Structures are given as C-alpha cells and as structure tokens.
Amino acid sequence: MSENKPDIHIPEVIPELERGPLWLRELRRTSREAYNSTPIPARGLHLWRYTDPVKFVVDRSGAADTPYGDNYDDVEKVELNNLSEGHLSGLVSDFGGREIRFHGFEKLLADGIVVTTISEALEKYHSIVEEHLYQLVGSRSGKFEAMNGALWNDGIFIYIPDGKSVDKPIHLLREAGLAGSAQFPRTLVVVGRNAGLTLVDEYGGGTTEESAPGSYSNGAVEIFGQADSRTRYIMLQRQTQSTTSYLTHRARIDRGASMFTFALSFGGDTSKQNFGVILNGPGAESKMYGLLFGADYQHFDNHTLHHHAAGQTRSDIDFKVVLRDKALSAYTGLIKIDRQAKACEAYQENRNLLLNKGTRAETIPELEILNEDVMCSHGATIGPIDPMMVFYLQSRGVEYQQAMRMIVSGFVSDTLQQVPGDLQERITGFVNQRLEHL
Amino acid sequence: MKNRKALFGFKDLKVEVEGKEVVKGVSLEIAPGEIHAIMGPNGSGKSSLSNALMGHPGYEITSGEAYLSGENLLDMEADERSRAGLFLAFQYPLAIPGVTVANFLRAALKSHRGPDADMTDFRRLLKAEMKSLSIDESFATRYLNDGFSGGEKKRVEILQMSVLNPQVALLDETDSGLDIDALKTVADGINRYHSENNGILLVTHYQRLLNYVKPDYVHVMIGGRLVKSGGPELALKLEESGYDWVAEEVGQKAGV
C-alpha cells in the first residue's frame, strides 16, 4: 500500500515555517524547498537498498496535536524516580517540541550550565545557536533531514560552558505521539572547551495500535565538542512497534576532544538511524558502540560515519546486532579519511548474531581513504549461535534455553559494560526481555 | 546388567559421524570406585565415543544402550545427562566470549542443585577448587577459555569437574598439551575427585597420565572397537611397543 503513496509536498504556508528569527525562518524555508525538490530516493541508491524510503514520507496534516503516546506515563515515572534517587543530572520530557518539560535542573542552571528549549536559547544565547544550528544536519543532508529542518516545532538546547562537567546523565525523553501523528524532535548540544557531558537521548512512546497509520518520528541531533571536551551520547530507541522512525545524528569534535556514541536499539517498527562523528582536530577520538536487538518483524537500517577531517585522529566502532523471529538489520559503516588527514587510526567491527532462521542481517563496510598514512581495519560476521557452544553449556547441566541466553548475553556483555551508570541495568533488562521465550 | 553392580555402562554402542560409522559396537561397565582407561591410536573412535555419550549433536548413536545409575542416558539431552551425573572433560574446550568462568560455573552448579538451591557457598567452593588446581583467582572473572592456553583450558575443565562433582567423569585426552607440572596438578585434581562412589573413564593416546592416575582396567580401542582389555600393565606395554601388536593380534590394521 505504502508503495503507492505520493510524494507529499510541504505546503508554503504552515506555522512551523514562521517560527524563529529571520535567519531561522530562511533556513526553514530552504529546508522546505530542499525537501519538496528532492525526489524520493530510488531503491537502488546508496543507503536505500534495504529500506523503502516511502515509509518516511508523511502528510504533515497527520501531525495533529496528539503528542502523548500510549505508554508515556510509565516511562516518565521510571526516569523521574531515577532523578529523585540522584542518578540523573536532570530530565527533559519532550512531546514533539510542542511541549517540553524540564525536571530537576536547578543545580545545573545555578552552575552556569544551560539546558533549555531552542526557542528560549534563541533569545538568551542567540549567537551560539545561530553559529551551530543546521551546521551538521541541514537542508543539504538529505530529503528527510530537510523535512525535519522545515517542520520541527521546538527543540532542546544544551550548552556546557568551558571547563564545566556534567557527569551524571542528562536524560532526554522524546515522546512519539499517537497513531497518525508525526514528530520532529531536534537537539542542539555544544560542549565547551575542556567541558564534559553525559547525555541520554531516549526515543520512546508511539501508538500501540497495530493497524495503520502508526506513529512517526523524524529526529535531528547536532553535537559540537570543542577542544579537549569529553562527551558521551547515548541514543536509546525504544518506541512501540507501530512507530516509523528516522534519526540523523552528527557530531563534530575538535582538537583533543573525545566522543563516545552509543546506539542502543530495541524499539520501533521501521527505524532508519544515521550516526556520524567528524573528527575535526588532531588528537580527537571517537568510539561508537552499537547494540541492536530486533524481534518480531522489526526492521532496522543503521549507518555510521567516522569522518577523519584532521590528522592524528582515532576512531573505533563496535556495532553488535542480535536478531530473532523475523527481524531484519542492515548496517552500513563508512570510514572516510581526508587527503590531508595523516596518521589516523580507524577501526570498525559489525557482528551479527541470528537466533533463528527467518532473520536477516546485511553488513556493508565502506572505506574512503584518501591517504596512505593510516591504520585501518574493518570486520564483519553474520551467523547463528554456534551449536557447539550450546552443547558445551548443556554438557554442564545448563538447559538449552538458558544456554542460548547466556551465549547472547555474553555476545553483548562487552558493550553493556561500557554503558554508563544506571542505564546499564536498564539496557540489560531490555536484552533479557528479548531473550524470553526463545 | 552383568554380574557387578555397574554405576555406568554402555552396550553394543554404535556411533555415526556424518553418516560414517566410527564406533562399531562397544560395551563397557564401570562399577563405583573404578578407574578405566581407553587407549588407542588417533582416529580409533575414542573421542567419538566420549562425545556421543555426552550427547554431542554431531555424533549420532545408531544403536546400543548407555546408562548411568540405572537411568537410560540415550533418552536424555546433554544437560539432562549432566544433571544425571555424567561429565565430559573436553579435548578441545570452546571459548564462550562474554561468559565468565564464575558465572558459567554458578549457572552450571545451580542447574544441578535446582532453582531454589542455596548458592551462598559457591564463591568459597570455587575459590578453594581454583587454589587446589593452581588456577589464579583472576580466572574467575575471565571469559571461559577465551585466550586461555591449552594447559589452562585443561585445568579449567578439571575445575568444572571438581565443582560439579559428577558420578562419572569421562576425561578426553585431558593430558594432551600439558607440561609435566601441569600434568601433575591435573592428575592431583582427578585423584582428589575420585572416590569409592564415583567412576572415571580416561580416554588417552598416551600412557603418561596413567603414571599419576592409576587405572584399574585398561582397554584398547582400534578401528571403532574395543579389542583388548587388561590391567594397568597393558598401558605400559602399549607405551613400550605401540599399538601395532594389538592390531596384529586381533587381525586388524591399526587406524592412522
């Protein structure tokens, strides 16, 4: 059915295009034009081989004022509890940018750290916003990035001034709406020189109704890590399985800065996610961990990009996929090293564990390395659980089901151990949930 | 089945691997307190026999029977055989990335004791057994066999046996790849485990281990058959003269 959906254009007069100062309204309009003039990508095109782009075309008239998804309250309760127990630095609840609530930020704000809406930041921190917004995810990034660029309502702005550090996570809860709704969350993060931030960006909610049209979410995240900053960004996808989700994340880090990116995916129906870090100054270092556990008919399409724009930079990706039932994962990982970026190191590994027949995994490593003075390696594996491992555990008395669970837990344990703080327990819980009734 | 009160045994057992018969009808009984050794050249079917008895999915038992404490083993999955009291120390133990030795053994022991069993003694038990086998404490938190040397793997197999304390232990080439000190440590572990109530079946190519773990009976396996049985002296003769004389005696050529 969706194949026949027309390429719906964004109308010229809608309230979103009138939001913000002149320069922003211009960028919104440019994004609208880019969206309207860019054809739906052909299926044969790069990055669209495994996922039908038509799924991400929605009529914005469907973006009704229905920001509250079906299971929102429970999720916020968990995080409010975490906040009250002192596990978080603060909690932001974002309902498609129509309503954004801030919980527990008094202490951070008093310390000069900025956590607010983009609309408020446009008044108080205008130059910082203008300098960074749309720089990494804008009208030229692609049709659906342009769509977010035109249609986002309001977003979240985080600014960590030079030398400040937020170690306990700031937790963002992005709530997909009810059936038929479309959300365009937007995030801008600037981590100052020698500053630190741990940010959890959780995409949840969405309808639980199984029939069409489902919920829709299209997010854009821009993160700037200035010299010697340390940022940990943890994306958690746990939307309902009636939610179609698109997400583009780009981070740019300067000299001596480090960036840890976690892409932890459990939810959604069709999720296309694109994570990229640009290493923009010598000594910059990026490490990405992917952990994706698909079940039922879930469809995941992930891209990662490590772009070495400066020499003496280091990147490493460890992207793990576990699939059961009829789930599908496609992973494309690009390592790009510019001509002048000498003495770089870049590593990439994608391992896929298929728990039963009927699952499907694709892995496409891509290298664009324009100089010789680099150390680079990539590897990928796709396969079932080794029956000999299962037998080994069984031979010690462990039942088949438990043996399978232990092996999968083992497969993901290195990644789980890297997940910061209390989130580790929660993610382990998601993994264990998926391992029930194998 | 026969005269003695057997703890463990198998009768007319035939095993196929990928459609090829590698064990061609073998029988053996082990009474409580006994140590038996099966010796034979490479490819004689010794490892196939022990793997098949444990329930390895690559080995199909096409006929015969096997029992432990009166229970039919062949009706059981590998985990049930383990919980019934059978243990196999593998010749080439696999690595299980991400699963620590301690977590693995805790899960194994818990499966033997039952879901509601008290496990508070586990840490102490593990620590004591590791110490006896000269395994560094740090191994408890290492991933099972991941990056272990050949000798370390063998020691950890014996550690598993010590913790689970099975009724019958099949030890498949547990001596291979061990230097003399490690061999003594492993042999000490086997002797410590051994009691009047359990049985051991050593499967080995060489007589080396039998200097330290004294078998009551030695059986020779050639071409998928147990062709000769005797006392410990048989092992010494095999060490001196090889397997060819046995093969000639039974009118068969030794396997390669």
Side-chain angles (χ1 to χ4, degrees):
Chain A
M1 193 182 75
S2 66
E3 273 67 20
N4 299 323
K5 202 153 60 175
D7 190 359
I8 299 159
H9 283 200
I10 300 172
E12 199 171 347
V13 182
I14 52 167
E16 287 88 342
L17 296 176
E18 303 307 320
R19 300 218 166 111
L22 183 63
W23 63 266
L24 179 54
R25 295 202 296 274
E26 269 172 22
L27 285 170
R28 282 179 179 276
R29 278 195 288 274
T30 310
S31 296
R32 172 191 164 265
E33 280 149 27
Y35 175 77
N36 286 349
S37 62
T38 308
I40 295 173
R43 286 303 302 276
L45 278 182
H46 183 237
L47 301 185
W48 290 103
R49 263 172 290 180
Y50 301 102
T51 305
D52 182 0
V54 172
K55 288 192 167 183
F56 303 103
V57 175
V58 287
D59 185 346
R60 76 152 298 281
S61 65
D65 262 338
T66 53
Y68 301 95
D70 294 350
N71 63 352
Y72 172 71
D73 287 347
D74 296 341
V75 180
E76 194 181 39
K77 247 180 251 163
V78 169
E79 293 313 326
L80 281 170
N81 189 44
N82 274 334
L83 180 66
S84 68
E85 285 178 1
H87 302 312
L88 302 178
S89 287
L91 174 66
V92 184
S93 306
D94 173 12
F95 301 88
R98 294 179 182 86
E99 184 184 334
I100 301 177
R101 300 184 204 143
F102 296 86
H103 306 279
F105 284 102
E106 299 76 14
K107 214 172 135 203
L108 287 192
L109 298 184
D111 198 27
I113 283 150
V114 179
V115 183
T116 184
T117 59
I118 293 179
S119 59
E120 190 176 295
L122 280 164
E123 287 168 18
K124 294 189 184 164
Y125 309 94
H126 188 268
S127 61
I128 301 176
V129 179
E130 188 175 6
E131 189 187 337
H132 295 98
L133 195 65
Y134 288 79
Q135 292 304 301
L136 299 177
V137 185
S139 60
R140 285 193 297 272
S141 304
K143 184 174 175 75
F144 301 108
E145 287 79 358
M147 187 186 195
N148 176 294
L151 295 178
W152 63 282
N153 260 284
D154 197 354
I156 296 168
F157 175 73
I158 297 173
Y159 172 56
I160 315 294
D162 294 355
K164 303 273 185 185
S165 196
V166 179
D167 295 325
K168 274 191 265 179
I170 292 175
H171 196 119
L172 314 181
L173 268 182
R174 329 306 285 261
E175 176 65 7
L178 290 177
S181 71
Q183 314 281 40
F184 299 91
R186 191 156 190 112
T187 314
L188 176 62
V189 178
V190 180
V191 183
R193 287 169 172 267
N194 198 27
L197 170 66
T198 299
L199 180 64
V200 179
D201 192 8
E202 175 171 358
Y203 294 81
T207 182
T208 50
E209 286 170 30
E210 284 179 20
S211 53
S215 310
Y216 177 88
S217 143
N218 175 341
V221 178
E222 295 173 293
I223 303 176
F224 296 83
Q226 294 177 352
D228 301 315
S229 62
R230 304 162 307 279
T231 309
R232 293 192 293 183
Y233 171 78
I234 300 114
M235 193 291 306
L236 176 56
Q237 155 62 293
R238 46 175 311 284
Q239 291 163 336
T240 64
Q241 289 190 25
S242 301
T243 303
T244 302
S245 178
Y246 192 91
L247 179 70
T248 300
H249 153 280
R250 282 292 177 275
R252 192 175 75 199
I253 55 173
D254 296 339
R255 175 187 295 268
S258 70
M259 173 71 66
F260 282 78
T261 306
F262 291 80
L264 311 172
S265 295
F266 300 91
D269 170 33
T270 299
S271 303
K272 193 166 172 69
Q273 302 166 322
N274 189 331
F275 301 91
V277 177
I278 302 147
L279 299 109
N280 209 37
E285 190 170 343
S286 170
K287 172 98 198 184
M288 272 193 208
Y289 294 95
L291 176 56
L292 183 169
F293 199 147
D296 304 317
Y297 286 88
Q298 285 184 302
H299 179 120
F300 295 92
D301 188 341
N302 277 272
H303 316 304
T304 63
L305 164 71
H306 265 147
H307 179 182
H308 294 255
Q312 293 163 353
T313 51
R314 192 172 189 282
S315 72
D316 191 358
I317 296 183
D318 175 1
F319 202 100
K320 288 203 173 88
V321 174
V322 186
L323 300 174
R324 61 176 290 183
D325 308 327
K326 299 273 183 184
L328 177 148
S329 162
Y331 169 78
T332 310
L334 171 61
I335 295 171
K336 190 175 170 183
I337 303 181
D338 289 349
R339 191 171 306 280
Q340 80 287 354
K342 307 274 173 143
C344 292
E345 283 179 64
Y347 307 100
Q348 179 175 301
E349 190 178 72
N350 171 223
R351 293 176 62 201
N352 298 268
L353 196 56
L354 309 180
L355 300 191
N356 53 262
K357 283 184 183 155
T359 53
R360 181 179 168 198
E362 299 287 344
T363 178
I364 307 104
E366 299 178 318
L367 305 175
E368 277 179 38
I369 298 174
L370 301 179
N371 79 73
E372 308 264 306
D373 181 17
V374 298
M375 301 244 296
C376 183
S377 75
H378 62 91
T381 58
I382 299 175
I385 287 186
D386 182 350
M388 293 304 102
M389 282 192 194
V390 180
F391 169 60
Y392 189 26
L393 267 63
Q394 280 190 280
S395 79
R396 300 306 183 240
V398 179
E399 283 179 21
Y400 176 81
Q401 301 284 336
Q402 197 193 346
M404 293 281 281
R405 287 196 292 268
M406 284 175 75
I407 292 165
V408 178
S409 301
F411 176 75
V412 301
S413 75
D414 280 342
T415 305
L416 284 178
Q417 279 166 29
Q418 300 297 325
V419 174
D422 289 49
L423 197 59
Q424 195 177 109
E425 209 173 301
R426 212 173 142 221
I427 303 300
T428 306
F430 294 148
V431 170
N432 290 338
Q433 263 173 31
R434 282 283 147 102
L435 289 171
E436 281 169 20
H437 315 295
L438 259 182
Chain B
M1 311 285 288
K2 284 187 198 164
N3 44 4
R4 283 169 303 158
K5 199 185 86 183
L7 170 67
F8 167 74
F10 45 87
K11 196 178 168 195
D12 300 328
L13 205 68
K14 293 182 179 176
V15 179
E16 283 187 7
V17 179
E18 289 167 356
K20 186 170 174 268
E21 191 168 89
V22 289
V23 175
K24 300 173 178 173
V26 294
S27 305
L28 188 72
E29 283 191 341
I30 297 180
E34 286 180 356
I35 300 178
H36 289 238
I38 293 182
M39 300 184 68
N42 290 332
S44 58
K46 322 185 286 292
S47 277
S48 299
L49 174 63
S50 39
N51 276 303
L53 285 166
M54 195 68 239
H56 189 299
Y59 298 82
E60 193 194 350
I61 293 178
T62 51
S63 69
E65 52 189 89
Y67 53 91
L68 172 60
S69 306
E71 286 188 90
N72 179 5
L73 284 172
L74 302 188
D75 282 348
M76 300 181 192
E77 296 293 319
D79 55 308
E80 296 169 316
R81 294 183 197 193
S82 168
R83 295 196 298 274
L86 187 64
F87 181 89
L88 169 60
F90 289 94
Q91 184 178 6
Y92 302 111
L94 273 187
I96 315 279
V99 178
T100 64
V101 170
N103 284 345
F104 170 70
L105 267 172
R106 175 187 286 275
L109 187 61
K110 204 173 166 65
S111 75
H112 281 248
R113 288 181 177 178
D116 303 321
D118 181 13
M119 294 293 289
T120 46
D121 62 330
F122 173 72
R123 237 156 234 294
R124 216 172 334 112
L125 172 67
L126 180 64
K127 208 170 157 180
E129 295 296 347
M130 287 178 83
K131 195 173 177 207
S132 306
L133 286 161
S134 305
I135 299 171
D136 191 88
E137 266 183 50
S138 65
F139 275 69
T141 52
R142 286 183 62 183
Y143 296 154
L144 182 62
N145 296 324
D146 201 8
F148 291 12
S149 71
E152 287 163 349
K153 286 181 190 173
K154 294 298 170 76
R155 254 185 276 191
V156 169
E157 290 293 291
I158 298 305
L159 171 69
Q160 295 170 38
M161 180 184 77
S162 310
V163 169
L164 296 177
N165 194 23
Q167 287 201 281
V168 170
L170 316 175
L171 306 176
D172 189 4
E173 306 277 3
T174 295
D175 50 335
S176 69
L178 296 180
D179 62 32
I180 187 68
D181 290 335
L183 181 70
K184 281 181 186 165
T185 308
V186 162
D188 285 348
I190 297 169
N191 288 326
R192 239 189 344 266
Y193 151 75
H194 184 54
S195 77
E196 285 306 304
N197 302 316
N198 60 33
I200 295 177
L201 181 59
L202 301 163
V203 173
T204 181
H205 186 121
Y206 300 105
Q207 188 265 347
R208 219 162 65 113
L209 180 64
L210 308 186
N211 290 332
Y212 302 96
V213 181
K214 299 289 181 199
D216 302 300
Y217 301 94
V218 173
H219 313 273
V220 182
M221 191 164 186
I222 292 176
R225 292 189 171 87
L226 290 174
V227 293
K228 193 174 179 65
S229 294
E233 73 289 344
L234 181 54
L236 291 170
K237 190 165 183 202
L238 290 168
E239 182 75 358
E240 277 167 24
S241 320
Y243 289 100
D244 285 347
W245 66 272
V246 191
E248 279 161 26
E249 203 176 275
V250 297
Q252 241 185 310
K253 197 139 183 61
V256 183

